[in-house]
Structure formats: C-alpha cells, structure tokens
Amino acid sequence: MAEWLVEDGIGEERAFRLSNDEIEELRLRWPAQGLLAGMVADAILIERPSANGRARVQFASGDQAFARNIPRQASVGAHVRVQVTREAIAERGRLKLAQARHTDAAICDAPSLADQLAVEGHDVRTAPTPSPSADWDALWADAALREVMLAGGSLLLAETPALTLIDVDWWGDDPSAVTGAIARTLRRFDLGGNIAIDFPTVSTRAERKTIDEQLGIFLQDWPHERTAMNGFGLVQIVRRLERPSLLHRIARDRRGAVARLLLRRAEMLEGAGRIALYAQPSVLDCLRDDWLEELRRRTGRQVTLRPDPGLAFDAPHAQIVPL
C-alpha cells in the first residue's frame, strides 16, 4: 500500500501521498468544526422517523444531522446512537447538514486521519512539523484559483450545490495529458460526491472512447462509479463523500483557510526571534487564541499579529523578527 505523510497541523490535519516531493493525493480535516465523519455519539430525535427510517437528530453540541435507519417506533425526544457518515458542507446561502446512521457501536470520537489510513492498510508516517518537501502552497493556490494548468490547456473547476464541475479547456493532441491531469486533480483536491467533467472539444466517437478508456486506467485504484462519455462530451463521476474537499473549504471559508495556511508557514520558520504574522485584518481575526497558544508552544517563540490591509488576501506571510 502507499505511504502517507500526516501533518497534525494547527486547526487542521493534512495527509499527503507524495511522489517526487509533490502531493499526489490529499485528505484534509478541520477537527474543530462540528461533527466529524466516524464519530459515534448519542443524539436526541427531534422529528418522527419517516417510513424509511430517516429523521433529524440533535447532538449535545447543538449540531444537527440527518440520520437513517432510525427505528420506526422511536419517538420524538428519544435518545438514539448514531455514527456520522458525512460532515456538514457549506453551500451558497445554506449549510447542508451532516449525515449519520443508527448504530449499536460504542461511543467514540472520530478517528484521526492517521488512524483512518492505518485501518485501510496504508503505511503512515507522521511529521512533527510541516514538511517543506510537500508542494502544499502550490496545491492551495490551484484550489483558490479554481484552475489547474496543464500542457495544452487548463482545467477550470466550479463547486455548486448539486455537483463539482470540471470544465476541460484543452487543445492538445495527446488525450492522456488531460485525463491524467483530471485523475490527479481529483486526488489532490480530495474531491467526492457528484462530479461532472465537460469535454466540449471532443466530437468524434473514437475520441470519446479513447478518453473513457484512459480515465478507467488512471482511476482504477480510486474508488468511484463513472458513466461513459455521452454524445455531448460529459462524464459523471460519483465517489463517496465524507468531508468537504480542499476546493470547497477554500470557497466556503476562505478567511479560515487562509488563516490555517498562515499558521503552517509560521511553523516552518527557523532562526531566533519572535514570529510576526502578516495578513489582512479579517484573516488575523480568524486566528483563535488556542491556535496562537499552540503555535507558541510548538515553536517556543513569542507571536505578534501585524494587520496589513494592503496585503493580498491570499498572500499572508510569517517571518522571524528581532525580540
């Protein structure tokens, strides 16, 4: 099985499968945010189960989820034990509630990314500090721009309430260049759920068949279901969705994502002095007190905040300054 590098970051967990110092596959989790996939807890039933055992439940934290397989005889106000199967996902103008299922398992917290990967049989290596070899900044920038450059064109991405769309803007000669880039982007962004890929320039049946075959090869070890390309050049992919992708996290909580990016950069600093964090004021406002305290503990340095309204929103930086 593949080796994964896991960073227990401040405010987020990052798991990378690396190849030649580039991230080939990502898993990302924000532990401090609501219900996490895999956790088992007791919740209160706040509506009667439907005929197929679906109902809304509320946890002690106040978070709600749509649960399935709830016993039909359960009444409103009853305590039921559920396991979270998908985290809440923010969309334009609304929050899509988490999903859960009834279970008899023992109460437990959500497993860490390292634990999940180990259970799946992967080799896991944990990093006490962020790895400078991982191209996290480049991957983050691609997700923020919603564009991935490739030989002969680019992939344009858009997240919608219904699906994630990948528009293939490509004029090259070798289809494997674009199909390989698509497969890599799916893994690098940790995409899941419904994904539509639009190939507007593909017109012949032979081209469609070639791309279908190559997608099958590049995605053979990535669990999913896929339709064949239709006559309009559209392919639909469905993958189990457990958590928001990097693309969705940046799109729906850009300030929080930039703040976490800044903390990772600060952890990597070397030298004597204190750490100065430079960013837009709204980004610095997202830095929780416990995150800053953890940064002080990990680095052994004092931390100061330097609001800079003239700094580009997605360009925070950290540096060592004299005491």
Side-chain angles (χ1 to χ4, degrees), residues 82-288:
V82 296
Q83 180 176 26
V84 177
T85 56
R86 195 208 68 195
E87 298 171 14
I89 297 178
E91 295 179 343
R92 293 187 183 97
R94 69 166 182 165
L95 179 70
K96 186 180 290 185
L97 292 181
Q99 294 182 1
R101 62 177 177 84
H102 184 261
T103 182
D104 294 323
I107 292 176
C108 65
D109 293 331
S112 66
L113 290 182
D115 289 340
Q116 290 179 17
L117 291 164
V119 167
E120 294 173 16
H122 297 289
D123 293 329
V124 180
R125 179 166 56 93
T126 58
T129 57
S131 171
S133 63
D135 63 335
W136 177 245
D137 282 13
L139 173 57
W140 199 100
D142 284 349
L145 291 172
R146 300 185 180 92
E147 183 173 11
V148 177
M149 302 304 298
L150 63 147
S154 64
L155 305 177
L156 305 175
L157 295 97
E159 78 296 334
T160 77
L163 50 78
T164 301
L165 176 64
I166 301 178
D167 181 40
V168 181
D169 183 17
W170 174 71
W171 52 89
D173 297 322
D174 182 8
S176 64
V178 67
T179 51
I182 289 170
R184 190 165 183 258
T185 297
L186 294 173
R187 293 182 172 94
R188 275 170 63 86
F189 284 5
D190 193 22
L191 289 172
N194 291 318
I195 304 164
I197 307 173
D198 185 24
F199 295 83
T201 60
V202 175
S203 56
T204 69
R205 179 176 296 180
E207 288 177 318
R208 293 196 295 270
K209 181 179 179 181
T210 298
I211 290 175
D212 277 336
E213 291 174 347
Q214 291 181 348
L215 279 176
I217 293 172
F218 284 119
L219 294 175
Q220 61 183 339
D221 60 345
W222 192 69
H224 72 288
E225 294 183 8
R226 185 180 74 257
T227 66
M229 184 184 296
N230 66 22
F232 300 99
L234 191 70
V235 175
Q236 183 179 5
I237 290 176
V238 179
R239 184 189 184 217
R240 181 180 177 184
L241 180 63
E242 293 186 354
R243 58 192 169 268
S245 68
L246 175 62
L247 182 75
H248 286 78
R249 290 196 185 279
I250 295 176
R252 296 291 164 254
D253 186 2
R254 203 175 190 91
R255 292 189 307 158
V258 174
R260 289 168 170 85
L261 177 67
L262 176 59
L263 291 171
R264 184 178 189 272
R265 291 174 175 175
E267 270 200 271
M268 299 172 67
L269 293 174
E270 298 180 353
R274 72 175 66 189
I275 296 175
L277 302 178
Y278 297 85
Q280 284 272 349
S282 62
V283 171
L284 296 181
D285 288 343
C286 289
L287 295 173
R288 295 170 23 165

Side-chain angles (χ1 to χ4, degrees), residues 306-317:
R306 303 286 178 86
D308 187 350
L311 196 63
F313 191 84
D314 290 342
H317 68 276

